[in-house]
Amino acid sequence: MGAQISSQQRSDHGEVLLVHSLDSWNTRFQNSKASNKLMVIDFSAEWCRPCKFIEPAVHDLAVEFSDVDFVKIDIDELPDVAKDFEVKAMPTFVLVKKGKEQERVVGVKKDELHRIIEKHRF
Amino acid sequence: MLPIISLGCLTPHALSPTLSLSITKPPYNTPLPPLLYSTNPKHNPTNTHNLSMAVSGFEGFEKRLELQFSSHDPVTGIGLRQLDFKSLEQVLHQVQCTVVSALGNQHFDSYVLSESSLFVYPTKIIIKTCGTTQLLKSVQPFINHARTLNLHIIALRYTRGSFIFPQAQPYPHTSFHEEIVYLEDSIPHHLCYRKASVIPSKLTSHSWHVFSAGAVEYPDDVPYTVEVCMTDLDQTLARKFFRHPNDGKNGDSAGREMTGLTGINRINPNAQICDFAFEPCGYSMNGLDRDCYSTIHVTPEHGFSYASFECLGSMYNDMADMVKKAVKVFGPATVSVATTNASDDVCMRIKGAVEQLGMKCRSCSMDVVPAAGMVVFQTFTTRRKRI
């Protein structure tokens, strides 16, 4: 399909999916609306050190909650999506179910992120 | 105008400049509060000065360091924000604190520390720590790390109020004299404009200490900073910063709750807030609003209660209004406001705003320091309090 539209660390389960294109994002988002699965969107930026700080913890959460979709969006690559979700600082984690925002965590807050994923999981 | 104890101002000198060290010892004449033992784990259980801590309370008054850098490269890019996390942690380890939470935006990165805050801009670092941290030990490591990014230091400013428990402070913070000697040894020669100043107030327990050094005497385009220190907090208001046992919350969620319940989120509704609640009590937050940071730290325990509010000036915000809202959150008996490079208008408006809360301005003193400009130090107390 030409240019890389998304990349995955390993498999589709228990990992964080990096979404690079708008088309890829739209597809993902539409799929998410159709299912009952919780989706965690990780908004970050290459130059944001706090985002790098929490990266390992997010991967651990993706493994722990393998039934939850973890998607990572670089706000420089997809600024419109970041704007749609009103992302003003990073990292911002938005929990979405059936296309609707359930809750969000702004900042490096591992315990809180764990708590709300558990809360909205099912 | 109260007399200022200035410690000498240097003319530019290519060789190692000397700062006059004939310092009048700060007037620590106030009787100490009753002996208290602090059980707050926030208060650095690994600190080697636990014995001192056992006969005093937690020191809320912070030490603040601001380092300004410059690049030889025409495009600085993200500058210091490139520093990897390992490097930052290394420096923080020297100061005996760790990162508790973090948040960044397009202008800067902010970190909530176990003992206050760190802000990293492309060419500026601000680090503020309380308790018995050895903040000045971060000077050389920061300068060295910056050098690896081709950034060199052009200005340094160190400020603090008066410690509630000065005898609990470790080297090099046992006295302002010692801090100055340490700073002089830590900074490169090209920061040749230097001045140390102790700005007094009518309260012997409240003086403002400033050490400023720069490669240029009068910098242009320096934003102003406001540092508010509050003591003797209203007990009912301070209680909001205590965790409830078995509240089923973590430090993040408890912190967010405190931010809402106390009205801290209304001080600047435009700011993105990164907050944290310590166990069994204590609170910290960093606010991010465009390129302006704000930060609040609370030590709520009775006997040595303290809260600070610091904010970078901006044309988008009404500083006086923010200071007023911040003071209202804590209901302190004593407030000190130190501004650096603020206009007379801003200082007057802040004074007016604090007075609107029923407090009386007890003193207003100032001094001019190189590389930072005019420092104005105002103190306020509630009307019923006698000096």
Side-chain angles (χ1 to χ4, degrees), chain B residues 94-126:
Chain B
Q94 304 242 38
V95 180
Q96 303 101 27
C97 57
T98 55
V99 173
V100 160
S101 192
L103 183 64
N105 69 10
Q106 54 190 137
H107 302 279
F108 65 100
D109 293 319
S110 74
Y111 299 88
V112 175
L113 308 175
S114 51
E115 318 266 346
S116 296
S117 294
L118 168 68
F119 300 96
V120 182
Y121 284 78
T123 54
K124 183 168 66 178
I125 288 175
I126 295 162

Side-chain angles (χ1 to χ4, degrees), chain A residues 47-50 52-53 86 88-92 103-113 115-116, chain B residues 78 81-85 99-106 109-111 250 252-253 256 272-275:
Chain A
W47 36 261
C48 173
R49 277 297 161 268
K52 290 273 180 288
F53 181 30
E86 292 180 59
K88 299 198 172 88
M90 275 87 56
T92 289
E103 211 165 336
R104 68 170 59 191
V105 169
V106 174
V108 170
K109 289 166 177 290
K110 306 176 216 183
D111 292 341
E112 185 61 358
L113 189 54
R115 187 187 73 86
I116 65 169
Chain B
I78 62 165
R81 298 179 75 184
Q82 274 173 81
L83 284 174
D84 62 51
F85 200 70
V99 173
V100 160
S101 192
L103 183 64
N105 69 10
Q106 54 190 137
D109 293 319
S110 74
Y111 299 88
N250 53 50
D252 300 321
S253 51
R256 183 155 77 164
Q272 295 296 299
I273 292 177
C274 185
D275 43 28

Side-chain angles (χ1 to χ4, degrees), chain B residues 4-38:
Chain B
I4 311 292
I5 307 163
S6 279
L7 301 170
C9 188
L10 298 168
T11 48
H13 203 293
L15 299 172
S16 139
T18 49
L19 191 69
S20 158
L21 296 174
S22 51
I23 302 158
T24 310
K25 215 153 165 56
Y28 295 129
N29 298 324
T30 36
L32 293 170
L35 296 182
L36 296 152
Y37 179 69
S38 169

Side-chain angles (χ1 to χ4, degrees), chain B residues 129-315:
Chain B
T129 61
C130 55
T132 52
T133 49
Q134 295 166 293
L135 181 62
L136 295 184
K137 286 195 165 180
S138 68
V139 174
Q140 275 178 338
F142 274 136
I143 291 177
N144 293 335
H145 281 301
R147 215 178 280 129
T148 66
L149 297 171
N150 218 13
L151 292 161
H152 58 279
I153 187 167
I154 56 170
L156 174 149
R157 185 166 85 248
Y158 175 66
T159 54
R160 67 168 172 84
S162 302
F163 295 125
I164 301 172
F165 306 108
Q167 72 285 56
Q169 292 293 322
Y171 170 83
H173 300 285
T174 55
S175 68
F176 192 41
H177 181 150
E178 189 168 72
E179 289 170 318
I180 295 166
V181 170
Y182 190 93
L183 278 163
E184 287 254 270
D185 284 342
S186 307
I187 60 179
H189 297 321
H190 71 272
L191 299 191
C192 54
Y193 294 91
R194 304 178 184 188
K195 183 169 178 177
S197 180
V198 181
I199 307 177
S201 71
K202 289 233 174 77
L203 306 164
T204 51
S205 56
H206 285 68
S207 295
W208 193 249
H209 305 74
V210 187
F211 175 91
S212 185
V216 171
E217 198 170 5
Y218 304 108
D220 28 40
D221 212 17
V222 174
Y224 72 92
T225 314
V226 176
E227 294 169 72
V228 182
C229 304
M230 297 167 266
T231 50
D232 282 309
L233 310 184
D234 176 286
Q235 285 284 283
T236 315
L237 298 173
R239 221 169 287 144
K240 296 184 183 185
F241 297 97
F242 279 78
R243 292 281 299 273
H244 302 123
N246 308 315
D247 58 8
K249 295 192 169 69
N250 53 50
D252 300 321
S253 51
R256 183 155 77 164
E257 190 181 60
M258 286 178 189
T259 299
L261 280 176
T262 57
I264 284 174
N265 56 348
R266 291 192 291 277
I267 294 173
N268 179 0
N270 291 324
Q272 295 296 299
I273 292 177
C274 185
D275 43 28
F276 194 82
F278 295 89
E279 285 212 72
C281 63
Y283 167 94
S284 286
M285 83 63 131
N286 289 333
L288 289 78
D289 178 13
R290 293 187 184 88
D291 59 351
C292 283
Y293 73 90
S294 58
T295 185
I296 290 177
H297 300 281
V298 189
T299 298
E301 293 106 311
H302 181 54
F304 48 94
S305 64
Y306 173 87
S308 66
F309 169 70
E310 178 181 329
C311 191
L312 191 68
S314 150
M315 58 178 182

